[in-house]
Amino acid sequence: MPFLHEEYGTDAEIYRKQFSTEVIADSSNAHAHRILQACGFTERSIPPLYVWHELPAGLGEEEEKARSTRAVCLLRAAGLDANIDEALLSPTTHAAVLTEIHQDHTVRSNAAASSSPAAGTHPPTGTDTVATVPAASGTSASVTRSHGC
């Protein structure tokens, strides 16, 4: 059973299984597994070697897109190299999750700055803000390699 994340050398890949309606997320990263489960993916396995996640059957297409998009954005925000099939992207969810991530980062940055003994003793730097990631730069096998999350 080949996994796309191994083939592409990434931490996680989210895609629709070929000739199927199943949405699959494969990864061998423990942190990615926790994020995928938090986004509604269910862990599946064929012991002892194969572990993957999939969305529950019966979800509507928009819900599949929303969960998949949320997962890839959170994976990338956690510093993981994650890709998603372009057909599973939800622009609305993408924008909402980016806003959520930015707000969470801002709240944590402000809390850390206000509790620091050196708070307010140095001028702000360019590293005090959240950097944005450029839009898609290329695709391979209809999987987004870099998509703004």
Side-chain angles (χ1 to χ4, degrees), residues 5 11 13 33 36 46 72-73 79 117 139:
H5 81 278
D11 294 311
E13 296 285 333
H33 285 282
L36 291 166
I46 301 174
V72 78
C73 287
T139 60

Side-chain angles (χ1 to χ4, degrees), residues 24-72:
I24 304 294
D26 65 62
S27 177
S28 57
N29 182 293
H31 187 59
H33 285 282
R34 289 188 294 276
I35 292 171
L36 291 166
Q37 287 176 326
C39 291
F41 283 81
T42 304
E43 186 175 304
R44 301 283 189 233
S45 67
I46 301 174
L49 301 176
Y50 301 109
V51 177
W52 70 96
H53 289 79
E54 61 186 57
L55 287 176
L59 296 176
E61 184 176 348
E62 288 307 310
E63 183 65 19
E64 289 175 340
K65 288 180 177 184
R67 291 183 187 199
S68 298
T69 301
R70 179 172 184 76
V72 78

Side-chain angles (χ1 to χ4, degrees), residues 2 8-9 15-16 27 36 46 54 66 76 79 115 123 125 131 148:
Y8 293 134
Y15 55 95
R16 191 171 302 279
S27 177
L36 291 166
I46 301 174
E54 61 186 57
R76 289 175 179 169
S115 66
T125 66

